[in-house]
Amino acid sequence: MTDSKKIPEEPRQDEQQSGIDTGPGQSPKAGTRKSGPGETGGVTEMERRQFLKIGLAITGVFAGGTLLSAASVIDNVFASEDDYAEKYPYRPHYSMLIRQSNCIDCERCLEACKRTNHVPEYGYRTQILKKDYPESSGRTVEFIPVLCNQCNNPPCVRACPTRATYKDETNGIIRMDNSKCIGCKTCMSACPYNARYFNEETMAVDKCNFCYDTRLSRGEALTACAEACPAGARIFGDLSDPGSEVYRQVHDIEKAVWVLRPETGAKPNVFYTKG
Amino acid sequence: MAHEISSEAAGAQVYGEQLAGIDQAIRKTTYWVALLGMAILFVVGVAAGIHAKSIGSLHAFNATREVPWGILISTYVYLVVVADGVCLVSSIGHVFGRKDFVPLASRSVFLAVATLLGGFFVIFFDIENPFRMAIYNVISPNLTSAIWWMGTLYGALMFFMGVEFVFLLKGKHKLATAAGFLGVIAGVAALSNLGAVFGSLDGRDFWYGPFMPIFFIASAMMSGAAAIIFFTLLAYKLSNRKMEPAMKRALEVTAKVGILLIVTTLFFTLWKLIIGLTGGEAKTLALRSLLSGHYAVNFWILEITVGMVIPLVLLVLSKGRSLWLMAVAATLMMFGIFFMRYDMVIVGQTVPVQFQLGVSEYAGLISYAPSTHEILISLGGIGLAGLIFLAGEKIFKGHKSETH
C-alpha cells in the first residue's frame, strides 16, 4: 500500500461538483414532494417522473453511486422500462436495500454471516466499509455495508468457464455449484464489487447467496445479516412484491436511491439509500 | 626443407584439430549444462507446485482476493503468447509460402509446442482444481466465457502445432501446411481471445475495451520474432554448426519483422498512455503507477528500454546480418517482455474495484509482490520450455530437414 499516500483523501471531485449535501438523512429537494391529485395542476404522473429523472440526471453521482429516482432505478436494473412495467424477471425477486446512514458498524451482520454460512477466518461474504467526511458539519464518518449485488447482468456468470456460478432462474440469486469450480478466479477479477474469495475448505470460490442454502430454502424470510442488524440498515425482501418493505422504499419517489458502480452495466439488486 | 614445411603444417593441423576438439567439447558441455539447468528449474518448479498444492494457495501464493491473478498468470501469458507469436511469425514461411522464412519452420513449430507446454505447466499450478477443469470445460462449457475459449483455443493451437510438427518430420509438406494454416487460425483466435480475457472485464478500467485483443496480436508477434532469433542462434551456438545461408537469410527477414513489430507495439503503447491519461482519477490511477509510481522502473527500464527501445536500435544496427547484435537484442527482448506481461496483469488489478466509493479501505493502490512458490513455479515453466527445446535440438538433430 505504498502508493496509498498519493490518493487525496478529500471527497471525490464529481461529488463536489454535484453540490449535494451528502450528510445523513438528507434527500435531494428536486421538487420531489408527493402531491395529491388536486395539486398536480394538470401535470401527468409520467411528465412528473420525466421531470424528476432529468433533475436527478443533472445532479449526477451521489456518494459514490449514481443517484436514482424510483423511475431511473428501474432503468438501471432492467433492460427497459417495458420489462419492468410488465413484470419482474424473478419471483420472488430477492433484493436488498442498504440504508447506509443507519449502519453503526456494530458488525453483528458480519458475525451472523460467518456463523450461518461457515465463512472461514480469512474470508468474508459481506463487509462494512468506512467513509470519512472530515469537513462534515454533522457525522464525520459513514459506514457502507457491501455484499454481492446479485446482478441482473452478472459479469462473474459471463466469465465463469464452467458455469460453476450461475444466476438462479427462479429468484435471481447468483449461486455457486462448488463441484464445478475450477478455481481460475476469473469471477473474482470480473466482479466489480470484490464480492468473491477463494474458500480453501470447499476448494471453490465463495460468495454471498442471500443465505439461500442456509436460510431462505429452509423457510426463513430474512438473510442472517438482515436479521442480525439492530439498526434496520439492511432491508431484505422481494422486489416483485409491492407489499414488501424493500419494494416500498425502492419505489418511494421521495427517496434518493442508488446502486454502486452503475457504469459497469451489471444491473445490481442491492440498492442504497440514506435515512 | 620441404619435409620441414610439411611437418610444420601437420603440426599446425594437429594443433588446429585439438583446438576444434576442445571447442567442440566446450560446446557439448555447455549444452549439457544448459539442459541440466533447465531440468533443475523444472524439477524445483514441480516441487514448489506440489508443495503449494499441499499447503494451499492461501499460504503459498501472494495472489489475494483483490489481486487474484499474480505472476503465475503473467508468466502463463508470457509463455503462451511467445508460442503464439512464434507460430504466427514462422507461418509467413511454412503456411503463406514466403520462401525466406521456410528454414525456420521445423524449429519454430517445435519451439511453439515447447513454450505452450511451459505455459500450461504454470497455469496448471495456478488453477486450484485443474482436474475439474478437464471435466467441466467439456461437459459444462460456458460459451460467453473468454477463459473457456482460452483453454479451448490454446488446446487447439497445441494440437495443430503438434500435428504440423509430425508432418514436417515426415516430410509431408502439404499436410503440414494445412495443419499450419489451422494452427494460424487457432493462434490468432487464441491470442485475440486472450486479450479479451482481460479486455472484457468491464469492472477493470485498465484492461477494459477492444485495445487488448489488438495489442496482443502485435506484441505477440514481436515476442515471437525475438524468440525465433534467440532460440535459433542459441541452437547454432550450442551445436557448433555453421549457419547455412538460407538460415542467415531467414533470420535477417525475421529481424525485419521484429523491427516492424517493436515499432507497432511502441506505437500502441504510446496511444494507450495518451488516451488513457485523459480519463478520470480512477481510470488514470493505474497508468500513473506505471508512469511515475510503483511500477515505473518495470515500465520505463524493463518494458520500454530493455524490452523494446534498445533491441530496436540493435536490430536496426545489425541490418539483420550481425548475429551478435541480434543475439543481444533478442535476449533483451525475451527478458523485457516478461515484465511487459507482468505489468499488464498486475497493474490492471492494483486499482480497487470500489475505489470511487471513496472509502478508507480502498483509498490507495493494492500492492502485490510474488511469493517464493509463485516465482519458483514460474521459473519451472520457463525451465520446462527450455528443457523441451534443448532436448528437441538433440533428438531432432538440429531440425536440419528444412535447411537442406
Side-chain angles (χ1 to χ4, degrees):
Chain A
M1 302 293 280
T2 49
D3 289 357
S4 60
K5 292 190 195 80
K6 289 176 187 161
I7 316 301
E9 300 245 325
E10 53 264 87
R12 305 269 84 78
Q13 201 180 8
D14 33 30
E15 254 177 54
Q16 291 170 334
Q17 282 170 350
S18 73
I20 294 173
D21 178 6
T22 52
Q26 298 283 324
S27 348
K29 300 180 180 81
T32 55
R33 288 275 161 261
K34 212 175 240 176
S35 48
E39 294 170 295
T40 51
V43 179
T44 67
E45 182 68 11
M46 203 58 216
E47 283 168 333
R48 214 163 62 86
R49 280 175 177 248
Q50 282 301 330
F51 170 73
L52 195 66
K53 276 168 75 176
I54 293 163
L56 291 165
I58 292 165
T59 53
V61 176
F62 181 78
T66 297
L67 179 62
L68 307 158
S69 72
S72 57
V73 166
I74 294 151
D75 284 346
N76 271 269
V77 178
F78 303 101
S80 71
E81 285 192 68
D82 293 341
D83 289 355
Y84 167 73
E86 282 178 25
K87 67 179 172 91
Y88 282 87
Y90 307 103
R91 277 175 201 281
H93 186 127
Y94 286 125
S95 167
M96 190 176 282
L97 175 71
I98 307 284
R99 293 159 76 197
Q100 160 174 323
S101 50
N102 284 23
C103 180
I104 53 170
D105 195 28
C106 68
E107 300 193 355
R108 286 189 207 175
C109 55
L110 308 190
E111 287 157 22
C113 175
K114 289 213 170 213
R115 202 171 48 243
T116 307
N117 299 302
H118 313 291
V119 177
E121 201 48 50
Y122 53 82
Y124 58 84
R125 288 182 172 198
T126 180
Q127 200 184 7
I128 298 172
L129 302 175
K130 185 167 156 253
K131 186 167 181 175
D132 293 311
Y133 295 90
E135 286 160 26
S136 163
S137 59
R139 274 173 71 174
T140 54
V141 63
E142 194 171 49
F143 301 105
I144 308 174
V146 291
L147 67 164
C148 170
N149 281 244
Q150 320 291 350
C151 307
N152 278 3
N153 182 21
C156 54
V157 171
R158 186 167 64 239
C160 176
T162 55
R163 293 187 281 168
T165 194
Y166 61 98
K167 189 154 178 76
D168 191 304
E169 288 178 7
T170 312
N171 54 39
I173 294 174
I174 308 291
R175 298 176 58 196
M176 283 295 302
D177 180 344
N178 287 352
S179 67
K180 286 185 183 172
C181 177
I182 68 171
C184 66
K185 303 178 184 173
T186 311
C187 56
M188 292 163 62
S189 275
C191 176
Y193 303 104
N194 184 26
R196 295 170 161 267
Y197 72 97
F198 188 78
N199 185 320
E200 300 244 311
E201 274 64 45
T202 59
M203 284 306 279
V205 168
D206 189 41
K207 65 176 289 295
C208 164
N209 59 2
F210 277 162
C211 296
Y212 184 79
D213 52 335
T214 48
R215 293 177 60 91
L216 299 187
S217 65
R218 296 175 185 181
E220 300 279 354
L222 294 180
T223 61
C225 58
E227 189 180 73
C229 181
R234 292 173 184 252
I235 312 291
F236 177 78
D238 177 3
L239 197 60
S240 70
D241 172 15
S244 73
E245 191 180 354
V246 66
Y247 179 98
R248 280 203 307 273
Q249 296 238 15
V250 167
H251 293 76
D252 183 350
I253 206 155
E254 289 194 13
K255 258 197 152 32
V257 178
W258 62 93
V259 295
L260 304 182
R261 300 204 67 186
E263 81 284 359
T264 65
K267 299 184 188 295
N269 281 305
V270 173
F271 302 91
Y272 287 79
T273 190
K274 298 194 185 192
Chain B
M1 193 68 176
H3 178 73
E4 276 173 22
I5 288 169
S6 72
S7 88
E8 253 179 39
Q13 195 184 346
V14 168
Y15 182 63
E17 276 171 11
Q18 276 176 343
L19 268 186
I22 290 167
D23 188 47
Q24 190 64 22
I26 289 172
R27 282 170 200 270
K28 263 194 177 169
T29 313
T30 312
Y31 172 85
W32 287 110
V33 168
L35 194 78
L36 184 68
M38 291 294 140
I40 289 171
L41 280 184
F42 172 61
V43 170
V44 171
V46 171
I50 291 172
H51 186 247
K53 285 261 180 261
S54 73
I55 62 172
S57 63
L58 184 69
H59 304 287
F61 298 162
N62 281 356
T64 57
R65 175 181 186 130
E66 284 81 16
V67 184
W69 287 343
I71 196 173
L72 294 181
I73 292 293
S74 78
T75 307
Y76 162 77
V77 168
Y78 172 73
L79 287 168
V80 299
V81 166
V82 163
D84 216 322
V86 166
C87 159
L88 294 183
V89 171
S90 67
S91 73
I92 299 171
H94 59 89
V95 176
F96 298 107
R98 293 290 305 204
K99 288 211 163 38
D100 289 341
F101 286 86
V102 167
L104 302 172
S106 182
R107 177 175 287 111
S108 295
V109 172
F110 189 76
L111 175 61
V113 172
T115 41
L116 269 182
L117 287 172
F120 292 165
F121 170 85
V122 177
I123 206 165
F124 175 85
F125 286 110
D126 179 76
I127 284 179
E128 300 278 356
N129 305 304
F131 299 109
R132 282 188 199 164
M133 177 176 75
I135 300 166
Y136 290 106
N137 262 17
V138 178
I139 66 170
S140 183
N142 179 8
L143 300 186
T144 66
S145 162
I147 283 275
W148 184 84
W149 283 104
M150 183 186 87
T152 306
L153 291 168
Y154 273 110
L157 179 65
M158 177 79 201
F159 174 75
F160 291 130
M161 291 285 99
V163 168
E164 183 185 7
F165 184 72
V166 172
F167 284 141
L168 283 175
L169 270 188
K170 294 190 169 177
K172 294 183 174 171
H173 288 273
K174 279 202 170 155
L175 287 172
T177 302
F181 181 66
L182 294 173
V184 167
I185 292 174
V188 170
L191 250 187
S192 47
N193 175 75
L194 183 59
V197 165
F198 301 96
S200 62
L201 301 183
D202 56 3
R204 306 274 182 177
D205 291 324
F206 185 71
W207 293 331
Y208 183 58
F211 175 81
M212 280 292 178
I214 301 163
F215 177 79
F216 262 60
I217 298 279
S219 76
M221 288 185 73
M222 174 180 78
S223 64
I228 288 173
I229 295 171
F230 178 84
F231 283 100
T232 306
L233 291 177
L234 181 72
Y236 276 81
K237 189 84 187 161
L238 290 178
S239 70
N240 195 28
R241 264 166 75 195
K242 194 173 177 316
M243 192 175 278
E244 305 82 356
M247 186 59 91
K248 279 190 177 158
R249 175 67 190 148
L251 288 184
E252 188 185 333
V253 288
T254 305
K256 285 185 180 161
V257 169
I259 290 170
L260 175 70
L261 289 157
I262 293 174
V263 172
T264 310
T265 307
L266 277 171
F267 179 79
F268 281 174
T269 306
L270 184 69
W271 278 110
K272 164 99 180 161
L273 294 180
I274 294 173
I275 302 285
L277 286 171
T278 60
E281 187 185 6
K283 290 194 181 193
T284 57
L285 208 56
L287 272 183
R288 282 188 280 123
S289 84
L290 266 185
L291 293 178
S292 56
H294 189 67
Y295 293 91
V297 171
N298 272 17
F299 181 71
W300 290 113
I301 306 289
L302 297 173
E303 189 176 325
I304 298 289
T305 310
V306 173
M308 293 193 280
V309 174
I310 296 178
L312 177 64
V313 173
L314 293 180
L315 286 179
V316 169
L317 289 178
S318 77
K319 296 190 164 66
R321 294 194 194 95
S322 164
L323 298 183
W324 187 82
L325 285 180
M326 287 160 66
V328 176
T331 309
L332 292 178
M333 286 170 83
M334 296 303 290
F335 184 72
I337 292 168
F338 181 85
F339 292 93
M340 179 185 283
R341 307 300 176 221
Y342 181 84
D343 294 345
M344 189 276 297
V345 170
I346 306 302
V347 173
Q349 301 165 84
T350 52
V351 180
V353 288
Q354 300 280 38
F355 174 76
Q356 283 184 299
L357 202 51
V359 291
S360 47
E361 287 85 351
Y362 300 126
L365 294 177
I366 299 163
S367 62
Y368 164 83
S371 71
T372 309
H373 281 88
E374 288 174 310
I375 292 171
L376 291 178
I377 295 169
S378 299
L379 290 174
I382 293 168
L384 177 61
L387 183 65
I388 295 171
F389 174 79
L390 289 174
E393 286 298 318
K394 195 61 94 188
I395 294 165
F396 303 111
K397 299 186 175 61
H399 303 279
K400 280 175 188 163
S401 59
E402 291 302 304
T403 48
H404 288 174

